[in-house]
Amino acid sequence: MSTADPTDRGHAVEVVDLHRRYGSFEAVRGVSFQVQQGEVLALLGVNGAGKTSVLEVVEGLARADRGSVRILGADPVTERARVRPHLGVLLQSSGLPGDLTVGETLHTWARTLTRPRPVAEALAQVKLSSRAHIRVRSLSGGERRRLDLALALLGRPRVVVLDEPTTGLDPQSRRTVWELVQSQVAGGCAVVLTTHHLEEAERLADRIAVMRAGRIVLTGTQAEIAATQPATIHFTLDDGALPLPPLPAVEVITGPPRVKLHTGALQPTLAALLAWSAERGIDLIGLDARPASLEQAFLAVADSPAGGPSPCRRLTAPTSRSS
Amino acid sequence: MTTVPETLSTNTTGSSALGRIRALTAAETRLLLRNRTAVVNSVLAPLLLVAVTWVLGVTGTQASGLVVTAIGITLVLTTYSNLVSTFVARREEFVLQRMRTGELTDGEILLGSAVPTLMVSLVQIAVVAVGAVVIGDWTAPVDVVLPVLATIGGAALMVLLAAVSTAFTRTAESAQITTMPFVVATTVLSGLYLPLTAFPEAIASAARFLPLTPVVELTRLGLAGQAWDGTAVDTAGAWAQSPLPLTVLAGWVVIGAALARRMFRWAPRR
């Protein structure tokens, strides 16, 4: 939850100033983050933000052009043999031979691993027990993705990297995936995942990092990230001509009678508003006050023009917000 | 270099390389056997070679010559060509990239994927050998070590060159085109169809440095007791002629390994 102490040696995943380029295109421009055991970090960002490019280095499939990645203290490329028995990877695009059955696919993979879990257990985890004798090519998209996930988790990994684990899945398959990820985390796994579903990040992630054009532009807990955007207050007044009271640090988006306010300090604004209405005996019809959602915060930073340098807002503690 | 975190050093007995390759080979063999067309084709092809030789009435065919031809053709048309298609198909389907996420090493993945094709190649050579003995005049080979070395080295080279060829092959279908120059050049200029002495001296000398030529030379030296220029040799003579082709073959294996390491891609181009 709290920001990691940089001297803490317990990082399951540690990425420091990671850079990657394809030819002259710099896909990753200085990304840093850490993940502890039992913690989930969600990397968000529009397509092309560099999420998969970061993950490929974490997975040990590509080298960093600059910076470093450590998985349980070891380099995933140069110390691959040490890292791999503890790393579970679900690729965004992943292929399986269509003419093997689900059971054969898992058995084959299990035989390549140091500490595989029993195949029957893996099948049950992803609710494919009844499909063990089906050829992979006959599976639905959701079943295939669940089989992919079963393979990723087959070696009892302590660090799990999931690149868009639920893209294209039906709600039920998605729920299965979520429950499985949560059970891994409860067992002490560190998880890094990317997703386009903000609901998924809200549901699974302890911390969220939003990437844009190869950089992390926003990072923190879900609440911290949402708090970067103003809260919204809605209400309607009977008397459209009534002037609003002076409210500090409030932006009036639409005036009476249908009022919409943005505020960085929801509670004091609301208190002032309620005091004013009580004093004057005014009805705030349909009063609605809510903090910004993760989605609002995401849309505010993720899709803005990629051009200029944008400062990374590192949110250390939610209490540091000025009131 | 740095201290090993105890979290990584505990409880890792490690899966063995041999065990991992065997797991992959078993799955790949199962996949091959489920592909009926491929199975039928790989048995029919060598039978056809024997049958054509027999029908053409090359009576008095030297059986050893047919086996030399079979080894050369099989290495190029089965081992090399099929592996290019296999590797490319697996790459484009993201199967290779997925296998790379586990404990298998890169070499194990390539070797494991290649084993069924290598076994098919071996079976094809064996079928021709048996056929050749049946229809031709079999004479005891001058030496067996050289042909065995040539076949093993040649097979390793074909795996490596197939890996290299995937770099300029976008789809499994286009493999038929991208492999053609290599297939034609090596088979024509290896002394397989025509003796190298049929070419002008300069071309013949250069051809001896092509990848397949040393394989053909060495197998012919051992099985037929014939040097590349057609002169007959005994066992000592065969070995006396062997250093150049052995060196050329070893050189190609080294070059092939270096190129494969540099050029092989595990995932489709984005």
Coordinates of all heavy atoms in Angstrom, one line a residue, chain A residues 188-277:
Chain A
G188 N 0.6 -15.1 -1.7 CA 1.9 -14.4 -1.7 C 2.5 -14.1 -3.0 O 3.7 -13.6 -3.1
C189 N 1.8 -14.3 -4.1 CA 2.3 -14.0 -5.4 C 2.4 -12.5 -5.6 O 1.6 -11.7 -5.1 CB 1.4 -14.5 -6.5 SG 1.9 -15.8 -7.4
A190 N 3.4 -12.0 -6.3 CA 3.5 -10.6 -6.8 C 2.9 -10.7 -8.2 O 3.3 -11.5 -9.0 CB 4.9 -10.1 -6.8
V191 N 2.1 -9.7 -8.6 CA 1.4 -9.8 -9.9 C 1.6 -8.4 -10.6 O 1.4 -7.4 -10.0 CB -0.1 -10.1 -9.8 CG1 -0.7 -10.0 -11.2 CG2 -0.3 -11.5 -9.2
V192 N 2.1 -8.4 -11.8 CA 2.0 -7.2 -12.7 C 1.1 -7.6 -13.8 O 1.3 -8.6 -14.5 CB 3.4 -6.9 -13.3 CG1 3.4 -5.6 -14.1 CG2 4.5 -6.8 -12.2
L193 N 0.1 -6.7 -14.0 CA -0.8 -7.0 -15.1 C -1.1 -5.7 -15.9 O -1.0 -4.6 -15.4 CB -2.1 -7.6 -14.6 CG -3.0 -6.9 -13.7 CD1 -4.0 -6.0 -14.5 CD2 -3.8 -7.9 -12.9
T194 N -1.4 -5.9 -17.2 CA -1.9 -4.8 -18.0 C -3.4 -5.0 -18.3 O -3.8 -6.2 -18.3 CB -1.2 -4.6 -19.3 OG1 -1.5 -5.7 -20.2 CG2 0.3 -4.6 -19.1
T195 N -4.1 -4.0 -18.5 CA -5.5 -4.2 -18.8 C -6.1 -2.9 -19.4 O -5.6 -1.8 -19.2 CB -6.4 -4.5 -17.5 OG1 -7.7 -4.7 -17.9 CG2 -6.3 -3.5 -16.5
H196 N -7.1 -3.1 -20.2 CA -7.9 -1.9 -20.7 C -9.2 -1.8 -19.9 O -9.9 -0.8 -20.2 CB -8.2 -2.1 -22.2 CG -7.0 -2.0 -23.1 ND1 -6.3 -0.8 -23.1 CD2 -6.4 -2.8 -23.9 CE1 -5.3 -1.0 -24.0 NE2 -5.3 -2.2 -24.5
H197 N -9.5 -2.7 -19.1 CA -10.7 -2.6 -18.3 C -10.4 -2.0 -16.9 O -9.7 -2.6 -16.1 CB -11.3 -4.0 -18.0 CG -11.6 -4.8 -19.3 ND1 -12.6 -4.4 -20.1 CD2 -11.0 -5.8 -19.8 CE1 -12.6 -5.2 -21.2 NE2 -11.6 -6.1 -21.0
L198 N -10.9 -0.7 -16.8 CA -10.6 0.0 -15.5 C -11.2 -0.8 -14.3 O -10.7 -0.8 -13.2 CB -11.1 1.4 -15.6 CG -10.3 2.2 -16.7 CD1 -11.0 3.5 -16.9 CD2 -8.9 2.3 -16.4
E199 N -12.3 -1.4 -14.6 CA -13.0 -2.2 -13.6 C -12.1 -3.3 -13.1 O -12.0 -3.6 -11.9 CB -14.3 -2.8 -14.2 CG -15.1 -3.5 -13.2 CD -16.1 -4.4 -13.9 OE1 -16.2 -4.4 -15.1 OE2 -16.8 -5.2 -13.2
E200 N -11.3 -3.9 -14.0 CA -10.4 -4.9 -13.6 C -9.3 -4.4 -12.7 O -8.9 -5.0 -11.7 CB -9.8 -5.5 -14.9 CG -8.9 -6.7 -14.7 CD -8.8 -7.5 -16.0 OE1 -9.8 -8.0 -16.5 OE2 -7.7 -7.5 -16.5
A201 N -8.8 -3.2 -13.1 CA -7.7 -2.6 -12.3 C -8.3 -2.3 -10.9 O -7.6 -2.5 -9.9 CB -7.2 -1.4 -12.9
E202 N -9.5 -1.7 -10.8 CA -10.1 -1.4 -9.6 C -10.3 -2.6 -8.7 O -10.1 -2.6 -7.5 CB -11.5 -0.7 -9.8 CG -11.4 0.7 -10.3 CD -12.7 1.3 -10.7 OE1 -13.7 0.5 -10.8 OE2 -12.8 2.5 -10.9
R203 N -10.7 -3.7 -9.4 CA -11.0 -4.9 -8.7 C -9.7 -5.6 -8.1 O -9.7 -6.1 -7.0 CB -11.7 -5.8 -9.6 CG -12.1 -7.2 -9.2 CD -13.3 -7.2 -8.3 NE -13.6 -8.5 -7.9 CZ -14.6 -9.2 -8.3 NH1 -15.6 -8.6 -9.0 NH2 -14.8 -10.4 -7.9
L204 N -8.7 -5.6 -8.9 CA -7.5 -6.5 -8.6 C -6.3 -5.7 -8.0 O -5.6 -6.3 -7.2 CB -7.1 -7.2 -9.9 CG -8.0 -8.3 -10.4 CD1 -7.4 -8.9 -11.7 CD2 -8.2 -9.4 -9.4
A205 N -6.1 -4.5 -8.5 CA -4.8 -3.9 -8.2 C -4.7 -3.2 -6.9 O -5.7 -2.5 -6.5 CB -4.5 -2.9 -9.4
D206 N -3.6 -3.3 -6.2 CA -3.3 -2.5 -5.0 C -2.8 -1.2 -5.5 O -3.1 -0.2 -4.8 CB -2.2 -3.2 -4.2 CG -2.7 -4.6 -3.7 OD1 -3.7 -4.6 -2.9 OD2 -2.1 -5.6 -4.0
R207 N -2.0 -1.2 -6.5 CA -1.5 0.1 -7.1 C -1.7 0.1 -8.6 O -1.7 -1.0 -9.2 CB 0.0 0.3 -6.7 CG 0.1 0.7 -5.2 CD 1.6 1.0 -4.9 NE 2.4 -0.1 -5.2 CZ 3.4 -0.1 -6.1 NH1 3.7 1.0 -6.8 NH2 4.1 -1.2 -6.4
I208 N -1.8 1.3 -9.1 CA -2.0 1.4 -10.5 C -0.9 2.4 -11.1 O -0.6 3.4 -10.4 CB -3.4 2.0 -10.8 CG1 -4.5 0.9 -10.4 CG2 -3.6 2.5 -12.2 CD1 -5.9 1.5 -10.3
A209 N -0.4 2.1 -12.2 CA 0.5 3.0 -12.9 C -0.1 3.3 -14.3 O -0.4 2.3 -15.0 CB 1.9 2.4 -13.0
V210 N -0.3 4.5 -14.6 CA -0.8 4.9 -16.0 C 0.4 5.3 -16.8 O 1.2 6.1 -16.5 CB -1.8 6.0 -15.9 CG1 -2.4 6.4 -17.2 CG2 -2.9 5.7 -14.9
M211 N 0.5 4.6 -18.0 CA 1.6 4.9 -18.9 C 1.0 5.7 -20.1 O -0.1 5.5 -20.5 CB 2.2 3.6 -19.5 CG 3.1 2.9 -18.5 SD 4.0 1.6 -19.4 CE 5.1 2.5 -20.4
R212 N 1.9 6.6 -20.6 CA 1.6 7.3 -21.8 C 2.9 7.6 -22.5 O 3.8 8.1 -21.9 CB 0.9 8.7 -21.5 CG 0.5 9.4 -22.7 CD -0.2 10.8 -22.4 NE 0.9 11.7 -21.9 CZ 0.6 12.7 -21.1 NH1 -0.6 12.9 -20.7 NH2 1.5 13.5 -20.7
A213 N 2.9 7.2 -23.8 CA 4.1 7.4 -24.7 C 5.4 7.0 -24.0 O 6.4 7.7 -24.0 CB 4.2 8.9 -25.1
G214 N 5.4 5.8 -23.4 CA 6.6 5.2 -22.9 C 7.0 5.7 -21.5 O 8.1 5.3 -21.0
R215 N 6.1 6.4 -20.9 CA 6.5 6.9 -19.5 C 5.3 6.6 -18.6 O 4.2 6.5 -19.0 CB 6.7 8.4 -19.4 CG 8.0 8.8 -20.1 CD 8.2 10.3 -19.8 NE 9.5 10.7 -20.4 CZ 9.5 11.2 -21.6 NH1 8.4 11.3 -22.3 NH2 10.7 11.6 -22.1
I216 N 5.6 6.4 -17.3 CA 4.5 6.4 -16.3 C 4.2 7.8 -15.9 O 5.1 8.5 -15.4 CB 5.0 5.5 -15.1 CG1 5.1 4.1 -15.4 CG2 3.9 5.7 -13.9 CD1 5.6 3.2 -14.3
V217 N 3.0 8.2 -16.2 CA 2.6 9.6 -15.9 C 1.8 9.8 -14.6 O 1.6 10.9 -14.2 CB 1.8 10.2 -17.1 CG1 2.7 10.4 -18.3 CG2 0.6 9.3 -17.5
L218 N 1.4 8.7 -14.1 CA 0.6 8.7 -12.9 C 0.7 7.4 -12.2 O 0.6 6.4 -12.8 CB -0.9 9.0 -13.3 CG -1.9 9.5 -12.2 CD1 -1.4 10.8 -11.6 CD2 -3.2 9.7 -12.9
T219 N 0.9 7.4 -10.9 CA 1.0 6.2 -10.2 C 0.5 6.4 -8.7 O 0.7 7.4 -8.1 CB 2.4 5.6 -10.2 OG1 2.5 4.5 -9.3 CG2 3.5 6.6 -9.8
G220 N -0.1 5.4 -8.2 CA -0.6 5.4 -6.8 C -1.7 4.4 -6.6 O -1.9 3.6 -7.5
T221 N -2.4 4.5 -5.5 CA -3.5 3.6 -5.3 C -4.6 4.2 -6.1 O -4.6 5.3 -6.6 CB -4.0 3.6 -3.8 OG1 -4.4 4.9 -3.4 CG2 -2.8 3.1 -2.9
Q222 N -5.7 3.4 -6.2 CA -6.8 3.8 -7.0 C -7.4 5.1 -6.5 O -7.7 6.0 -7.2 CB -7.9 2.7 -6.8 CG -9.1 2.8 -7.7 CD -10.1 1.8 -7.2 OE1 -9.8 0.7 -6.9 NE2 -11.4 2.2 -7.2
A223 N -7.5 5.2 -5.1 CA -8.0 6.4 -4.5 C -7.1 7.6 -4.8 O -7.5 8.7 -5.1 CB -8.2 6.2 -3.0
E224 N -5.8 7.4 -4.7 CA -4.8 8.5 -4.9 C -4.9 9.0 -6.4 O -4.9 10.2 -6.6 CB -3.4 8.0 -4.6 CG -3.1 7.8 -3.2 CD -1.9 7.0 -2.9 OE1 -1.2 6.6 -3.9 OE2 -1.6 6.7 -1.7
I225 N -5.1 8.0 -7.3 CA -5.2 8.4 -8.7 C -6.5 9.2 -8.9 O -6.5 10.2 -9.6 CB -5.0 7.2 -9.6 CG1 -3.6 6.8 -9.6 CG2 -5.5 7.5 -11.0 CD1 -3.2 5.7 -10.5
A226 N -7.5 8.7 -8.4 CA -8.8 9.4 -8.6 C -8.8 10.8 -8.0 O -9.3 11.7 -8.6 CB -9.9 8.6 -7.9
A227 N -8.0 10.9 -6.9 CA -8.0 12.2 -6.2 C -7.2 13.3 -7.0 O -7.2 14.5 -6.7 CB -7.3 12.1 -4.8
T228 N -6.5 12.9 -8.1 CA -5.8 13.9 -8.9 C -6.8 14.7 -9.7 O -6.5 15.7 -10.3 CB -4.9 13.2 -9.9 OG1 -5.6 12.3 -10.8 CG2 -3.8 12.5 -9.2
Q229 N -8.1 14.2 -9.8 CA -9.1 14.9 -10.5 C -10.1 15.4 -9.5 O -10.3 14.9 -8.5 CB -9.8 13.9 -11.5 CG -9.0 13.4 -12.6 CD -8.5 14.6 -13.5 OE1 -9.3 15.4 -14.0 NE2 -7.2 14.7 -13.7
P230 N -10.8 16.6 -9.9 CA -11.7 17.2 -8.9 C -12.9 16.3 -8.7 O -13.4 15.6 -9.6 CB -12.1 18.5 -9.6 CG -11.8 18.3 -11.0 CD -10.6 17.4 -11.1
A231 N -13.5 16.4 -7.5 CA -14.8 15.8 -7.2 C -15.9 16.6 -7.8 O -15.7 17.8 -8.2 CB -15.0 15.7 -5.7
T232 N -17.0 16.0 -8.0 CA -18.1 16.7 -8.7 C -19.4 16.8 -7.8 O -19.7 15.8 -7.1 CB -18.5 16.0 -10.0 OG1 -17.3 15.8 -10.8 CG2 -19.6 16.8 -10.8
I233 N -20.0 18.0 -7.7 CA -21.3 18.1 -6.9 C -22.3 18.6 -7.9 O -22.1 19.5 -8.7 CB -21.1 19.2 -5.8 CG1 -20.0 18.7 -4.9 CG2 -22.4 19.4 -5.1 CD1 -19.6 19.8 -3.8
H234 N -23.5 17.9 -7.9 CA -24.6 18.2 -8.7 C -25.8 18.6 -7.8 O -26.0 17.9 -6.8 CB -25.1 17.0 -9.5 CG -24.3 16.7 -10.7 ND1 -24.4 17.4 -11.9 CD2 -23.3 15.8 -11.0 CE1 -23.6 16.9 -12.8 NE2 -22.9 15.9 -12.3
F235 N -26.6 19.6 -8.2 CA -27.9 19.8 -7.5 C -28.7 20.8 -8.4 O -28.1 21.4 -9.3 CB -27.8 20.3 -6.1 CG -27.0 21.5 -5.9 CD1 -27.6 22.8 -6.0 CD2 -25.6 21.5 -5.6 CE1 -26.9 23.9 -5.8 CE2 -24.9 22.6 -5.4 CZ -25.5 23.9 -5.5
T236 N -30.0 20.8 -8.1 CA -30.8 21.8 -8.8 C -31.5 22.7 -7.8 O -31.8 22.3 -6.7 CB -31.9 21.0 -9.6 OG1 -31.2 20.0 -10.5 CG2 -32.7 21.9 -10.5
L237 N -31.6 24.0 -8.2 CA -32.2 25.0 -7.4 C -33.6 25.3 -8.0 O -33.7 25.4 -9.2 CB -31.4 26.2 -7.2 CG -30.0 26.0 -6.5 CD1 -29.2 27.3 -6.6 CD2 -30.2 25.6 -5.1
D238 N -34.6 25.5 -7.1 CA -35.9 26.0 -7.6 C -35.8 27.3 -8.2 O -36.4 27.6 -9.3 CB -36.9 26.0 -6.4 CG -37.6 24.7 -6.2 OD1 -37.6 23.9 -7.2 OD2 -38.2 24.5 -5.1
D239 N -35.1 28.2 -7.5 CA -35.0 29.6 -8.0 C -33.7 29.7 -8.8 O -32.6 29.8 -8.2 CB -35.0 30.5 -6.7 CG -34.9 31.9 -7.1 OD1 -34.8 32.2 -8.3 OD2 -34.9 32.8 -6.2
G240 N -33.9 29.8 -10.1 CA -32.7 29.8 -11.0 C -31.9 31.1 -10.8 O -30.8 31.2 -11.3
A241 N -32.6 32.1 -10.2 CA -31.9 33.4 -10.2 C -31.0 33.6 -8.9 O -30.3 34.6 -8.8 CB -33.0 34.6 -10.2
L242 N -31.1 32.6 -8.1 CA -30.4 32.7 -6.8 C -28.9 32.6 -7.0 O -28.4 31.7 -7.6 CB -30.9 31.5 -5.9 CG -30.7 31.7 -4.4 CD1 -31.5 32.8 -3.8 CD2 -31.0 30.4 -3.7
P243 N -28.2 33.6 -6.5 CA -26.7 33.5 -6.6 C -26.2 32.5 -5.6 O -26.6 32.3 -4.5 CB -26.2 34.9 -6.3 CG -27.3 35.5 -5.4 CD -28.6 34.8 -5.7
L244 N -25.1 31.8 -6.1 CA -24.5 30.8 -5.2 C -23.6 31.5 -4.2 O -23.2 32.6 -4.4 CB -23.6 29.9 -6.0 CG -24.3 28.9 -6.9 CD1 -23.3 28.1 -7.8 CD2 -25.2 27.9 -6.1
P245 N -23.4 30.9 -3.0 CA -22.6 31.5 -2.0 C -21.1 31.5 -2.5 O -20.8 30.7 -3.4 CB -22.7 30.7 -0.8 CG -23.1 29.3 -1.4 CD -23.9 29.6 -2.6
P246 N -20.3 32.3 -1.9 CA -18.8 32.2 -2.3 C -18.3 30.9 -1.8 O -18.4 30.6 -0.6 CB -18.2 33.4 -1.6 CG -19.1 33.8 -0.5 CD -20.5 33.4 -1.0
L247 N -17.8 30.1 -2.6 CA -17.2 28.8 -2.2 C -15.7 28.7 -2.6 O -15.4 28.9 -3.8 CB -17.9 27.6 -2.9 CG -19.4 27.4 -2.5 CD1 -20.1 26.5 -3.5 CD2 -19.5 26.9 -1.1
P248 N -14.8 28.6 -1.7 CA -13.4 28.7 -2.0 C -13.0 27.4 -2.8 O -13.5 26.3 -2.6 CB -12.7 28.7 -0.6 CG -13.7 28.1 0.3 CD -15.0 28.4 -0.2
A249 N -12.1 27.6 -3.7 CA -11.5 26.5 -4.5 C -12.5 25.7 -5.2 O -12.4 24.5 -5.4 CB -10.7 25.6 -3.6
V250 N -13.6 26.3 -5.7 CA -14.6 25.6 -6.5 C -14.7 26.2 -7.9 O -14.7 27.4 -8.0 CB -15.9 25.7 -5.7 CG1 -17.1 25.3 -6.6 CG2 -15.9 24.8 -4.5
E251 N -14.8 25.4 -8.8 CA -15.1 25.8 -10.2 C -16.5 25.5 -10.5 O -17.0 24.4 -10.4 CB -14.1 25.0 -11.1 CG -14.1 25.5 -12.5 CD -13.3 24.6 -13.5 OE1 -12.6 23.7 -12.9 OE2 -13.3 24.9 -14.7
V252 N -17.2 26.6 -10.9 CA -18.6 26.4 -11.3 C -18.7 26.0 -12.8 O -18.3 26.8 -13.6 CB -19.4 27.7 -11.0 CG1 -20.9 27.4 -11.4 CG2 -19.3 28.1 -9.6
I253 N -19.1 24.8 -13.0 CA -19.1 24.3 -14.4 C -20.4 24.8 -15.1 O -20.4 25.3 -16.2 CB -19.1 22.8 -14.5 CG1 -17.8 22.3 -13.7 CG2 -19.0 22.3 -15.9 CD1 -16.5 22.8 -14.2
T254 N -21.6 24.6 -14.4 CA -22.8 25.2 -14.9 C -23.5 25.9 -13.7 O -23.5 25.4 -12.6 CB -23.8 24.2 -15.5 OG1 -24.0 23.1 -14.5 CG2 -23.2 23.5 -16.7
G255 N -24.1 27.0 -13.9 CA -24.7 27.8 -12.9 C -26.2 27.4 -12.7 O -26.7 26.5 -13.3
P256 N -26.9 28.0 -11.7 CA -28.3 27.7 -11.4 C -29.1 27.9 -12.7 O -28.7 28.7 -13.5 CB -28.6 28.7 -10.3 CG -27.3 29.2 -9.8 CD -26.3 29.1 -10.8
P257 N -30.2 27.2 -12.8 CA -30.8 26.3 -11.8 C -30.1 24.9 -11.6 O -30.1 24.4 -10.6 CB -32.2 26.2 -12.2 CG -32.2 26.3 -13.7 CD -31.1 27.3 -14.0
R258 N -29.6 24.4 -12.8 CA -28.9 23.1 -12.7 C -27.4 23.3 -12.4 O -26.7 23.6 -13.4 CB -29.1 22.3 -14.0 CG -30.6 21.8 -14.1 CD -30.8 21.3 -15.6 NE -32.1 20.5 -15.6 CZ -32.2 19.3 -15.3 NH1 -31.1 18.6 -15.0 NH2 -33.3 18.6 -15.4
V259 N -27.0 23.1 -11.2 CA -25.7 23.4 -10.8 C -24.7 22.2 -10.9 O -25.1 21.1 -10.5 CB -25.6 24.0 -9.4 CG1 -24.2 24.4 -9.0 CG2 -26.6 25.1 -9.3
K260 N -23.5 22.5 -11.5 CA -22.5 21.4 -11.4 C -21.2 22.1 -11.0 O -20.8 23.1 -11.6 CB -22.3 20.8 -12.8 CG -21.2 19.8 -12.9 CD -21.1 19.2 -14.3 CE -20.0 18.2 -14.4 NZ -19.9 17.7 -15.8
L261 N -20.6 21.6 -9.9 CA -19.4 22.2 -9.4 C -18.3 21.2 -9.4 O -18.5 20.0 -9.2 CB -19.6 22.6 -7.9 CG -20.8 23.5 -7.6 CD1 -21.0 23.7 -6.1 CD2 -20.7 24.8 -8.3
H262 N -17.1 21.7 -9.6 CA -15.9 20.8 -9.5 C -15.1 21.4 -8.3 O -14.9 22.6 -8.2 CB -15.0 20.9 -10.7 CG -15.4 19.9 -11.7 ND1 -14.8 19.8 -13.0 CD2 -16.3 18.9 -11.7 CE1 -15.4 18.9 -13.7 NE2 -16.3 18.3 -12.9
T263 N -14.6 20.5 -7.4 CA -13.9 20.9 -6.3 C -12.8 20.0 -5.9 O -12.9 18.7 -6.1 CB -14.8 21.1 -5.0 OG1 -14.0 21.4 -3.9 CG2 -15.6 19.8 -4.7
G264 N -11.7 20.5 -5.5 CA -10.5 19.7 -5.1 C -10.7 19.3 -3.6 O -10.0 18.4 -3.1
A265 N -11.7 19.9 -2.9 CA -11.9 19.6 -1.5 C -13.3 19.3 -1.3 O -14.1 20.2 -1.0 CB -11.4 20.7 -0.7
L266 N -13.7 18.1 -1.5 CA -15.2 17.8 -1.5 C -15.8 18.1 -0.2 O -16.9 18.7 -0.1 CB -15.3 16.3 -1.9 CG -16.8 15.8 -2.0 CD1 -17.6 16.6 -3.0 CD2 -16.8 14.3 -2.4
Q267 N -15.2 17.6 0.9 CA -15.9 17.7 2.2 C -16.1 19.2 2.7 O -17.3 19.5 3.0 CB -15.1 16.9 3.3 CG -16.0 16.5 4.4 CD -15.2 15.7 5.4 OE1 -14.4 14.9 5.0 NE2 -15.5 15.9 6.7
P268 N -15.1 20.0 2.6 CA -15.4 21.4 3.0 C -16.4 22.1 2.1 O -17.2 22.9 2.6 CB -14.0 22.1 2.9 CG -13.0 21.0 2.9 CD -13.7 19.8 2.4
T269 N -16.3 21.9 0.8 CA -17.2 22.5 -0.1 C -18.6 22.1 0.2 O -19.6 22.9 0.3 CB -16.9 22.1 -1.5 OG1 -15.5 22.4 -1.8 CG2 -17.8 22.8 -2.5
L270 N -18.8 20.8 0.5 CA -20.1 20.2 0.8 C -20.6 20.8 2.1 O -21.8 21.2 2.2 CB -20.0 18.7 0.8 CG -21.3 17.9 0.6 CD1 -21.9 18.4 -0.8 CD2 -20.9 16.4 0.5
A271 N -19.7 21.0 3.1 CA -20.1 21.5 4.4 C -20.6 23.0 4.2 O -21.7 23.3 4.7 CB -19.0 21.4 5.3
A272 N -19.9 23.7 3.4 CA -20.2 25.1 3.2 C -21.6 25.2 2.5 O -22.4 26.1 2.8 CB -19.1 25.8 2.4
L273 N -21.8 24.3 1.5 CA -23.0 24.3 0.7 C -24.2 24.0 1.6 O -25.2 24.6 1.5 CB -22.8 23.3 -0.4 CG -23.7 23.5 -1.7 CD1 -23.4 24.9 -2.3 CD2 -23.3 22.4 -2.7
L274 N -24.0 23.0 2.4 CA -25.1 22.5 3.3 C -25.5 23.6 4.3 O -26.6 23.8 4.6 CB -24.8 21.2 4.0 CG -24.7 20.0 3.0 CD1 -24.2 18.8 3.7 CD2 -26.1 19.7 2.4
A275 N -24.4 24.3 4.9 CA -24.6 25.3 5.8 C -25.4 26.5 5.2 O -26.4 27.0 5.8 CB -23.3 25.8 6.4
W276 N -25.0 26.8 4.0 CA -25.7 27.9 3.2 C -27.2 27.5 3.0 O -28.1 28.3 3.2 CB -25.0 28.1 1.9 CG -25.6 29.0 0.9 CD1 -25.7 30.4 1.0 CD2 -26.2 28.6 -0.3 NE1 -26.4 30.9 -0.1 CE2 -26.7 29.8 -0.9 CE3 -26.4 27.4 -0.9 CZ2 -27.3 29.8 -2.1 CZ3 -27.1 27.4 -2.1 CH2 -27.5 28.6 -2.8
S277 N -27.4 26.3 2.6 CA -28.8 25.9 2.2 C -29.6 25.8 3.5 O -30.8 26.2 3.5 CB -28.8 24.6 1.5 OG -28.4 23.6 2.3

